[in-house]
């Protein structure tokens, strides 16, 4: 049945608009179409709803043309987009902007520009016997007849006739590349009327092989798999796998993935962005090979687009491994979603709308398809842990490392005491240096963690206290040695390294603090024969640079690897026996209510790099607060204690997981105007939310790229209607931005802010 009108979503922060459907155009919901919108602009839109209700407007524009041979989204994906727009308070258009690779949604000022921007999928020739030669006996008689004169022809015709059905496409045609025969012959056969040849978008081959050589699980791992199955059978769609590093979570994933693929279902494996190019993919590839589609931001737009289009045609049995944005891929036979390192912050998109949490959306997506979710972590997020404790999620604990490998021995080293006793050299306490020395002499490897990149975070004048700051952000500039410049880590601004203080003219400038570059330099000075490398954002600007650093460390080309968070994720290096955390203090003292949880997770993760496989590892944490509760819990490897303390505190103060937080971030270049808007907004919000409103407050860094920043926090108790809260909130915000003077104030809404 064809409809007269279509509501179409455009990749804009706008509601769906109604267009008329030209006569004879057959549309389905989820189809991509071109439409003209605004002044001379042609966009790709998604057909959201088809109907016959003429909207009450004078002139209604008509849909341009249909773009692909099938809808880009199925019903479940559309439901997810709607859910996401609603929950995270943005338009479906903003979801579309994020969800579809840009090449799939061309845009241009006119038709010509639009077409030039369009993605053209690769096509392939498909061969079939013409209708009149479909009948077996008739063809056989013909082959007999011509076999003397044209033996090759009859041979090919028989080949085409007997071609196995499983290797044909859905129309029963045979891919040209599987027919061994030159072009002249095929043309001749076509001219003689034996065959037809069609150019079509390449079809995805059916996944035939269903036997994988899966790892043999240990009895403990096997028990966990059974626990997961039985909790799924009891209707708990989501399961939390709490497994210490090295316990073999990956092996459990593989087993579950293998089961689903063998049934012809699809699996989505989400991993933190940073871990993607690493060993996990290699390990998965060694077992599932060509079944894997990798999807992350380091891939080219063309690769991402091709993956999307290919999956659209898939007949099931796919393993998609991706960063959070992989939840937007068309995975029509989805049966299982696995979220590895589910506590990782990078699952939450914070910078642009939709500000979604990939982990939470994964759970939703799995439920829409009637599938299951497995959340895996050595240090689960307190949200997931609380859900497991409340019985909402299934839960399994895997508390033993695989094989002979032992958990590392964690030592707290008091920096203040070391200084007093003269047991510190540069940034290293003697105990750390001693362990490094021993490790190197045994030909073992060392990892050093410092969560700041660059050489020194700032340079300060020791006579007047001046330091070089970014002109557009309220932060000091970090000195970088490689290009010898001062750099802003928020906007990228750079300046030369100052030689003397512009305020008091002295040349008494002192470097303050230290980043990974300085650690690298200092450790190389102390151990001149050791091969030292560094892994952080500055050294891994390309995928190949990144992989080289990892490969060299893996193969033992490097002895000491210095790095930021980047070194913590998803690696399994067999020869690391010492891990040094150079300054735990800056992890512990942050005003965020999640600071302790995060510090615990990060430290455990870094610590987990030590002593995998046979060697017992040592982790040395340098701190000026050796009495700190969280550090003690790290030493005792006591996640439960950490969780108990933190959950108690969160409960007492009404923080997540016992409430939901919505954070509003207001930005404007004029600080006066910004304050005015924030104050008025808070007044309005107080009327609807009362004491649930906090702020406005300036965040620690209150100016970035020339824009001043103020934040307002809304805390909503569990059980209260989020839908109503969102409605009130949206009204109040609309009220502010509709005032003329505040029109230019940017207000970002972050639901479940991290
Ligand atoms: P996790 O992901 O929990 O940190 P891994 O899956 O990386 O742990 O396992 C740690 C190490 O132990 C890896 O080198 C892995 O190959 C090995 N391993 C774990 N389970 C098995 C198993 N059942 N058979 C063989 N090797 C295993
Ligand atoms: Zn000075
Ligand atoms: Zn800046």
């Amino acid at each position: 049945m064809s409809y007269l009108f279509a509501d179409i979503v455009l990749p804009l922060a706008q509601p769906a608009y109604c267009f008329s459907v030209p006569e004879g155009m057959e549309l389905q919901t989820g189809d991509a179409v071109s439409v003209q919108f605004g002044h001379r602009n042609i966009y790709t839109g998604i057909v959201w709803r088809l109907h016959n209700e003429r909207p009450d407007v004078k002139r209604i524009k008509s849909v341009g043309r249909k773009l692909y041979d099938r809808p880009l989204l199925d019903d479940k994906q559309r439901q997810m987009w709607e859910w996401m727009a609603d929950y995270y308070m943005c338009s479906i258009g903003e979801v579309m902007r994020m969800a579809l690779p840009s090449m799939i949604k061309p845009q241009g000022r006119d038709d010509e520009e639009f077409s030039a921007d369009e993605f053209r999928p690769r096509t392939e020739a498909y061969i079939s016997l013409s209708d009149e030669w479909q009948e077996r006996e008739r063809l056989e008689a013909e082959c007999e007849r011509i076999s003397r004169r044209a033996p090759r022809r009859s041979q090919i015709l028989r080949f085409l006739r007997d071609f196995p059905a499983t290797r044909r496409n859905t129309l029963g045609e045979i891919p040209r590349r599987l027919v061994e025969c030159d072009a002249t012959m095929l043309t001749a056969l076509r001219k003689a009327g034996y065959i037809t040849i069609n150019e079509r978008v390449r079809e995805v081959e059916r996944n035939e092989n269903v036997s994988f050589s899966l790892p043999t699980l240990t009895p403990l791992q096997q028990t966990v798999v059974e626990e997961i199955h039985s909790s799924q059978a009891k209707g708990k769609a989501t399961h939390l796998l709490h497994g210490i590093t090295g316990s073999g979570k990956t092996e459990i994933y593989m087993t579950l993935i293998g089961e689903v693929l063998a049934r012809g279902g699809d699996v989505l494996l989400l991993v933190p962005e940073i871990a993607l190019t690493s060993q996990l993919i290699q390990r998965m590839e060694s077992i599932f090979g060509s079944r894997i589609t990798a999807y992350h931001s380091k891939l080219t737009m063309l690769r991402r687009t091709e993956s999307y289009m290919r999956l659209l045609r898939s007949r099931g049995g796919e393993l998609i491994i991706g960063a959070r944005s992989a939840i937007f891929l068309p995975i029509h036979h989805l049966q299982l979603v696995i979220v590895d390192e589910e506590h990782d912050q990078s699952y939450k998109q914070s910078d642009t709308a939709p500000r979604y949490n990939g982990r939470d959306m994964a759970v939703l997506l799995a439920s829409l398809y009637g599938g299951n979710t497995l959340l895996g972590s050595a240090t689960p997020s307190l949200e997931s842990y609380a859900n497991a404790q409340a019985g909402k999620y299934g839960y399994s604990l895997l508390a033993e490392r695989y094989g002979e490998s032992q958990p590392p021995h964690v030592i707290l080293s008091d920096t203040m005491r070391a200084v007093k006793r003269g047991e510190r050299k540069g940034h290293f306490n003697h105990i750390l240096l001693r362990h490094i020395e021993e490790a190197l002499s045994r030909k073992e490897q060392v990892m050093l963690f410092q969560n700041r990149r660059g050489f020194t975070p700032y340079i300060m004048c020791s006579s007047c206290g001046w330091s070089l700051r970014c002109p557009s952000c309220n932060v000091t500039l970090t000195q970088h040695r490689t290009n010898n410049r001062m750099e802003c880590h928020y906007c990228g601004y750079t300046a030369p390294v100052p030689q003397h203080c512009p305020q008091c003219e002295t040349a008494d400038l002192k470097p303050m603090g230290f980043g990974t570059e300085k650690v690298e330099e200092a450790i190389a000075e102390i151990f001149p024969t050791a091969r030292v490398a560094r892994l952080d954002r500055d050294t891994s600007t390309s995928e190949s640079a990144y992989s080289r650093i990892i490969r060299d460390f893996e193969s033992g080309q490097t002895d000491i690897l210095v790095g930021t968070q980047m070194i913590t994720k998803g690696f399994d290096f067999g020869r690391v026996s010492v891990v040094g955390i150079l300054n735990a203090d800056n992890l512990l003292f942050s005003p965020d209510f999640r600071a302790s949880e995060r510090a615990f997770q990060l430290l455990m993760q870094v610590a987990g790099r030590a002593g995998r496989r046979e060697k017992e590892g040592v982790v040395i944490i340098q701190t000026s607060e050796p009495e700190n509760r969280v550090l003690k819990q790290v030493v005792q490897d006591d996640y439960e204690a950490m969780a108990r303390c933190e959950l108690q505190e969160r409960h007492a103060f009404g923080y997540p997981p016992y409430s939901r937080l919505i954070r509003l971030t207001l930005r404007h270049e004029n600080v006066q105007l910004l304050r005015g808007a924030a104050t008025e907004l808070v007044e309005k919000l107080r009327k609807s939310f009362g004491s649930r409103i906090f702020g406005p407050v300036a965040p620690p860094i209150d100016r970035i790229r020339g824009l001043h920043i103020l934040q307002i926090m809304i805390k909503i108790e569990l059980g209260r209607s989020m839908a109503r809260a969102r409605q009130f909130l949206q009204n109040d915000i609309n009220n502010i931005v509709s005032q003329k003077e505040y029109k230019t104030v940017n207000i970002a809404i972050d639901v479940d802010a991290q």
Side-chain angles (χ1 to χ4, degrees):
M1 149 157 193
S2 46
Y3 291 91
L4 300 174
F5 301 102
D7 291 345
I8 291 186
V9 168
L10 301 168
L12 305 167
Q14 302 263 0
Y17 282 95
C18 184
F19 290 80
S20 66
V21 181
E23 226 180 278
M25 185 184 281
E26 288 287 337
L27 290 178
Q28 274 176 273
T29 48
D31 269 333
V33 292
S34 70
V35 289
Q36 199 187 346
F37 186 78
H39 300 287
R40 307 179 58 221
N41 252 328
I42 301 179
Y43 289 99
T44 301
I46 301 290
V47 176
W48 214 256
R49 194 171 75 92
L50 289 157
H51 56 90
N52 293 317
E53 307 141 28
R54 195 187 161 79
D56 193 17
V57 289
K58 270 205 227 85
R59 226 171 54 89
I60 178 158
K61 281 189 191 149
S62 116
V63 168
R65 60 191 165 91
K66 191 175 140 177
L67 293 184
Y68 304 101
D69 66 344
R70 63 193 69 200
L72 287 182
L73 310 178
D74 69 4
D75 291 351
K76 274 124 188 161
Q77 285 175 285
R78 283 191 302 117
Q79 282 177 48
M80 185 184 79
W81 285 24
E82 275 175 2
W83 200 96
M84 200 180 239
D86 189 44
Y87 187 82
Y88 293 109
M89 299 184 70
C90 63
S91 68
I92 298 182
E94 287 171 291
V95 178
M96 171 183 176
R97 201 155 59 187
M98 178 63 52
L100 299 176
S102 59
M103 286 170 94
I104 293 186
K105 45 180 199 318
Q107 138 180 359
R109 274 167 306 180
D110 50 32
D111 278 321
E112 203 177 319
E113 232 184 65
F114 185 91
S115 308
D117 200 23
E118 229 170 312
F119 170 72
R120 281 172 193 78
R122 273 185 256 183
T123 58
E124 174 166 62
Y126 285 90
I127 300 171
S128 55
L129 290 168
S130 7
D131 289 345
E132 55 186 302
W133 296 110
Q134 288 287 340
E135 203 186 313
R136 258 194 103 78
E137 286 84 73
R138 195 154 173 260
L139 185 69
E140 186 48 40
E142 178 72 2
C143 287
E144 277 299 320
R145 191 180 70 80
I146 61 171
S147 64
R148 290 273 302 279
R149 190 167 36 87
R152 177 85 180 122
R153 270 193 191 200
S154 77
Q155 190 190 5
I156 291 169
L157 288 175
R158 282 184 176 126
F159 173 82
L160 294 176
R161 181 193 63 195
D162 300 333
F163 197 85
T166 49
R167 302 182 68 197
R168 295 171 183 250
N169 71 4
T170 32
L171 299 169
E173 301 166 332
I174 301 160
R176 161 72 178 91
R177 93 198 112 83
L178 301 182
V179 182
E180 265 178 51
C181 153
D182 59 34
T184 7
M185 172 61 94
L186 283 181
T187 315
L189 285 173
R190 186 171 55 80
K191 284 200 175 136
Y194 289 116
I195 61 169
T196 55
I197 305 177
N198 288 304
E199 275 297 315
R200 299 189 193 281
V201 175
R202 188 159 172 171
E203 264 197 32
V204 178
E205 274 148 69
R206 215 189 300 261
N207 289 313
E208 291 300 338
N209 166 29
V210 290
S211 61
F212 308 106
S213 50
L214 293 167
T216 314
L217 298 184
T218 65
L220 220 59
Q221 292 168 344
Q222 188 56 45
T223 312
V224 168
V225 168
E226 280 154 23
E227 279 171 13
I228 294 171
H229 282 317
S230 88
S231 99
Q232 285 169 353
K234 281 187 212 130
K236 277 185 193 166
T238 307
H239 196 95
L240 176 61
L241 169 57
H242 180 183
I244 64 167
T245 29
S247 60
K249 290 187 290 297
T250 316
E251 277 67 23
I252 291 175
Y253 299 162
M254 288 169 174
T255 306
L256 297 169
I257 292 168
E259 289 169 1
V260 174
L261 295 185
R263 292 200 291 266
D266 296 337
V267 181
L268 171 62
L269 170 57
L270 288 185
V271 296
E273 176 78 37
I274 225 166
L276 260 165
T277 38
S278 73
Q279 296 167 321
L280 182 83
I281 288 207
Q282 285 170 27
R283 284 170 72 185
M284 289 291 168
E285 259 169 4
S286 69
I287 292 184
F288 302 111
S290 62
R291 296 294 191 94
I292 296 177
T293 303
Y295 194 79
H296 52 87
S297 65
K298 285 225 164 84
L299 297 175
T300 63
M301 194 47 76
L302 179 65
R303 282 276 301 279
R304 274 185 274 170
T305 305
E306 283 180 344
S307 293
Y308 195 104
M309 298 314 262
R310 197 187 68 77
L311 286 172
L312 216 47
R313 295 165 183 282
S314 162
R315 292 181 251 173
E318 308 278 344
L319 171 56
I320 293 104
I321 307 182
R324 61 171 186 245
S325 61
I327 60 163
F328 293 116
L329 287 169
I331 313 173
H332 295 164
H333 310 90
L334 186 65
Q335 293 186 8
L336 174 67
V337 180
I338 299 174
V339 185
D340 188 31
E341 315 277 13
E342 65 88 30
H343 65 277
D344 199 280
Q345 274 181 84
S346 72
Y347 285 123
K348 172 78 174 168
Q349 171 157 306
S350 304
D351 48 355
T352 44
R355 295 182 174 78
Y356 68 98
N357 189 320
R359 174 196 64 211
D360 299 345
M361 287 301 97
V363 173
L364 172 78
L365 194 65
S367 76
L368 287 173
Y369 284 94
N372 296 307
T373 308
L374 179 67
L375 306 174
S377 175
T379 51
S381 67
L382 290 177
E383 279 84 356
S384 299
Y385 188 69
N387 275 332
Q389 289 216 312
K392 265 198 243 167
Y393 294 172
Y395 176 82
S396 296
L397 179 64
L398 193 54
E400 256 174 45
R401 283 197 172 195
Y402 172 78
E404 301 299 302
S405 136
Q406 292 300 308
H409 180 51
V410 184
I411 300 170
L412 294 184
S413 172
D414 186 341
T415 301
M416 295 303 188
R417 220 173 92 176
V419 170
K420 265 190 225 130
R421 296 184 165 197
E423 293 174 355
R424 189 166 160 95
K425 183 169 180 181
H427 307 293
F428 312 96
N429 297 354
H430 282 181
I431 180 170
L432 175 59
L433 292 178
R434 213 164 48 240
H435 276 98
I436 296 176
E437 194 176 351
E438 280 167 24
L440 294 176
S441 72
R442 291 194 304 259
K443 301 264 176 284
E444 291 163 1
Q445 291 176 304
V446 175
M447 287 174 108
L448 296 176
F449 169 79
Q450 171 65 358
N451 68 340
R452 304 195 83 134
R453 63 192 176 90
F455 193 72
T456 51
Y458 60 108
I459 289 181
M460 198 168 86
C461 169
S462 32
S463 40
C464 78
W466 172 87
S467 65
L468 184 56
R469 307 186 75 81
C470 177
S472 353
C473 311
N474 192 10
V475 290
T476 53
L477 298 186
T478 300
Q479 185 187 353
H480 283 255
R481 260 296 163 81
T482 26
N483 54 2
N484 205 29
R485 305 270 299 173
M486 304 296 291
E487 186 190 308
C488 172
H489 284 181
Y490 288 83
C491 72
Y493 169 87
T494 69
V497 179
Q499 297 310 317
H500 44 250
C501 172
Q503 227 163 245
C504 67
E505 303 289 323
T506 58
D508 213 4
L509 297 179
K510 283 252 150 51
M512 304 298 286
F514 59 101
T516 44
E517 278 184 25
K518 196 163 185 188
V519 175
E520 182 190 18
E521 192 181 285
I523 203 73
E525 259 169 42
I526 298 174
F527 300 104
T529 55
R531 293 158 299 179
V532 183
R534 169 164 59 91
L535 184 66
D536 57 25
R537 239 172 53 211
D538 300 313
T539 60
S540 57
T541 43
S542 70
E543 193 179 330
S544 60
Y546 174 86
S547 325
R548 185 162 33 76
I549 296 169
I550 300 296
R551 233 186 2 257
D552 285 353
F553 193 60
E554 219 175 354
S555 66
Q557 301 279 317
T558 313
D559 303 308
I560 303 177
L561 184 63
V562 176
T564 54
Q565 256 88 324
M566 275 197 173
I567 63 172
T568 66
K569 297 188 185 173
F571 295 123
D572 177 14
F573 299 116
R575 272 185 295 249
V576 177
S577 66
V578 175
V579 168
I581 291 154
L582 294 170
N583 183 9
D585 298 2
N586 51 23
L587 300 174
L588 298 170
F589 309 115
S590 122
D592 186 354
F593 73 93
R594 285 193 174 91
S596 299
E597 179 188 355
R598 297 252 189 271
F600 184 88
Q601 286 163 342
L602 185 66
L603 290 170
M604 292 300 286
Q605 195 120 41
V606 183
R609 303 305 114 202
R612 297 173 69 102
R613 314 224 182 117
E614 300 77 32
K615 299 180 175 61
E616 161 154 3
V618 178
V619 179
I620 293 159
I621 303 180
Q622 299 190 151
T623 176
S624 59
E625 291 269 324
E627 295 302 313
N628 181 282
R629 166 172 71 77
V630 176
L631 291 183
K632 287 199 161 150
Q633 287 160 348
V634 170
V635 171
Q636 285 154 7
D637 187 11
D638 199 346
Y639 174 87
E640 277 73 22
M642 185 281 294
R644 211 177 325 110
C645 293
E646 287 302 307
L647 286 175
Q648 247 166 32
E649 231 164 82
R650 304 257 185 110
H651 193 255
F653 294 100
Y655 276 117
Y658 303 103
S659 68
R660 292 188 177 282
L661 289 185
I662 302 178
R663 184 169 59 211
L664 306 180
T665 303
L666 291 78
R667 292 186 182 83
H668 201 274
E669 57 199 12
N670 180 337
V671 71
Q672 236 55 44
L673 191 97
L674 179 72
R675 281 203 200 111
T679 316
E680 270 189 49
L681 179 56
V682 164
E683 273 166 25
K684 286 197 196 312
L685 289 170
R686 283 247 155 78
K687 292 208 181 89
S688 343
F689 293 95
S691 60
R692 298 180 186 87
I693 301 295
F694 302 84
V697 291
I701 294 162
D702 60 1
R703 195 167 69 104
I704 294 177
R705 292 175 194 271
L707 298 178
H708 293 271
I709 307 169
L710 282 175
Q711 290 182 329
I712 299 169
M713 195 70 97
I714 307 166
K715 205 151 80 172
I716 298 163
E717 309 93 289
L718 291 190
R720 291 243 156 203
S721 159
M722 278 294 276
R724 276 191 47 165
R726 288 193 297 265
Q727 210 174 357
F728 282 130
L729 181 56
Q730 195 69 64
N731 280 342
D732 291 340
I733 289 175
N734 291 347
N735 206 310
I736 293 291
V737 292
S738 64
Q739 294 179 35
K740 212 165 136 221
E741 52 172 331
Y742 298 141
K743 225 174 54 199
T744 50
V745 176
N746 179 307
I747 305 182
I749 310 172
D750 191 350
V751 178
D752 294 341
Q754 288 281 309

